[in-house]
Amino acid sequence: MPVAREPVTQRDVAASLGVSISAVSLALSGRPGVGDDLRRRILDRAAELGYRPNASAVALRTSRTRVLGLLIRNLRNPHFLDVIDGFDETCARAGYEVMVGSSRYDPTREAQLVDAFQHRAIDGLAIAPIGTNHRVRERFSATSRPVVLLDTAAPDAATMSVRSDQEASVDLAVQHLLELGHRRVAMVVAPDDKSPDPERLQHFRRLAADLGFTADTVTTELSADAARTALRQALERDAATRPTAFITNSDYIAHTVYLAAADLGLSIPEDISVIGHDDLPTSASLYPALTTIAVDRRSIGEQAATLLIDALAGGPGDRTNIVVPVELRVRSSTARPAGGLRP
């Protein structure tokens, strides 16, 4: 069984070069007091020996842990996996480590995780909150550490945020369906207390009033089982009154429209059309391939991490509220409605 190797210390680096520990400390911390040649020798030898600074000691000296938190709503939704990837990679390049938590749409768990992040004294937090109630965010920001909101309604100008362009996503989806001839369109939404972006539904209803189509809603908890049940109930309505198309807030939920339709012997897109949001790698492989709103999910994570790192460096940067553009990807899950309606 291999024996665990003791971590390399500043004393080890100093002994290998025959210099004082104080010289090593000054060189590794970037402080003045050693010449450039000696500093280079110390840094090179530290890298050669595999020296890593003691995180606890650094935290005590600088009041920084160089750890950032990322709190999301649902790890089962692949959307957030790409957000995490972009966030983690950006942090790693800047010398930060990442702690990740998932609230699972449970407000109590969300509050507990925020408390846990505070206890671990992380330097900043990116959070995709449940709903638009920002009390959890406010509890964390009271510690004077930076907070970035992800994928939620636009906050006040003083709060940093990164979100996809939800209004444009609704515009693109509705325009596409109306051009196909749909006049009864449903949007799948979370309950009011858990909806991250009520502005999306409000914009959908404004478009219905302006453009003259019937706007329906399917309100459901955003889990696959709950959504499948709610969608099946919507599809069981008489063919003359049920929606002919569904707009969802994620490809994850769009997949459940396929399942609910199959439960009732309905076909996509012959009986109903479906539009997702995210453009997950699996969505083009569905049968039929899913029409969806594409958004750069990695960019959301990258830009959230950059906002936090810039804030910790002393400034908010050029932008504090970032809106990531979206794009419609038309595939086979949308078609003219049954009955041959025309625009």
Side-chain angles (χ1 to χ4, degrees):
M1 182 176 178
V3 178
R5 179 184 174 186
E6 290 293 327
V8 176
T9 66
Q10 291 189 8
R11 187 180 298 275
D12 296 327
V13 177
S16 71
L17 291 172
V19 300
S20 68
I21 295 177
S22 61
V24 171
S25 177
L26 290 171
L28 292 176
S29 64
R31 290 177 290 167
V34 293
D36 291 342
D37 288 342
L38 179 56
R39 187 185 303 276
R40 273 194 299 272
R41 287 174 56 209
I42 291 172
L43 293 175
D44 289 345
R45 182 56 58 86
E48 180 183 322
L49 295 176
Y51 169 79
R52 294 188 66 185
N54 183 289
S56 298
V58 172
L60 285 172
R61 186 174 69 250
T62 65
S63 298
R64 295 279 182 86
T65 60
R66 296 198 72 81
V67 177
L68 298 178
L70 177 58
L71 178 53
I72 60 172
R73 292 186 288 267
N74 184 10
L75 258 181
R76 293 185 178 182
N77 186 341
H79 166 90
F80 285 112
L81 300 182
D82 289 321
V83 173
I84 292 170
D85 198 33
F87 189 88
D88 181 65
E89 186 173 306
T90 303
C91 288
R93 286 198 301 267
Y96 284 85
E97 295 182 349
V98 176
M99 290 180 62
V100 178
S102 173
S103 65
R104 303 172 194 160
Y105 282 100
D106 181 343
T108 300
R109 177 173 171 79
E110 182 180 66
Q112 290 171 342
L113 285 169
V114 169
D115 287 342
F117 284 143
Q118 288 177 316
H119 180 70
R120 294 296 180 93
I122 61 173
D123 291 340
L125 175 67
I127 176 172
I130 300 169
T132 57
N133 187 328
H134 300 320
R135 283 181 297 178
V136 170
R137 178 260 299 172
E138 290 164 356
R139 286 175 61 190
F140 187 88
S141 59
T143 65
S144 300
R145 283 170 280 181
V147 178
V148 174
L149 299 179
L150 302 179
D151 286 331
T152 192
D156 56 86
T159 305
M160 297 187 293
S161 67
V162 184
R163 62 200 296 260
S164 60
D165 192 335
Q166 290 294 322
E167 187 169 299
S169 74
V170 177
D171 287 337
L172 290 169
V174 166
Q175 179 183 2
H176 175 62
L177 292 172
L178 293 185
E179 287 174 350
L180 289 172
H182 292 273
R183 292 297 180 268
R184 298 192 305 275
V185 181
M187 176 173 281
V188 184
V189 298
D192 289 343
D193 62 334
K194 294 184 179 179
S195 174
D197 197 345
E199 295 173 358
R200 186 171 179 271
L201 178 57
Q202 293 165 9
H203 186 58
F204 175 66
R205 287 172 171 164
R206 283 196 299 269
L207 289 179
D210 292 342
L211 301 177
F213 66 91
T214 300
D216 203 347
T217 57
V218 177
T219 303
T220 173
E221 299 288 340
L222 298 181
S223 69
D225 290 342
R228 184 174 182 174
T229 298
L231 286 159
R232 192 164 52 228
Q233 291 172 352
L235 290 170
E236 284 173 341
R237 288 159 46 183
D238 183 87
T241 60
R242 73 180 176 222
T244 61
F246 290 81
I247 300 172
T248 68
N249 67 349
S250 70
D251 288 7
Y252 173 73
I253 294 299
H255 296 179
T256 66
V257 183
Y258 285 56
L259 298 176
D263 290 342
L264 299 174
L266 299 174
S267 297
I268 298 171
E270 290 80 7
D271 297 307
I272 55 171
S273 289
V274 185
I275 297 181
H277 189 289
D278 290 335
D279 195 23
L280 300 177
T282 55
S283 296
S285 301
L286 287 175
Y287 183 79
L290 179 64
T291 295
T292 187
I293 304 294
V295 59
D296 189 341
R297 301 177 298 280
R298 278 183 58 87
S299 177
I300 292 174
E302 290 168 352
Q303 298 198 67
T306 299
L307 284 176
L308 288 176
I309 293 165
D310 287 349
L312 289 166
D318 295 333
R319 295 181 297 167
T320 57
N321 299 123
I322 297 172
V323 178
V324 179
V326 296
E327 177 186 348
L328 178 67
R329 299 275 171 83
V330 178
R331 299 193 180 106
S332 305
S333 68
T334 49
R336 294 188 182 281
L341 295 178
R342 291 294 185 268

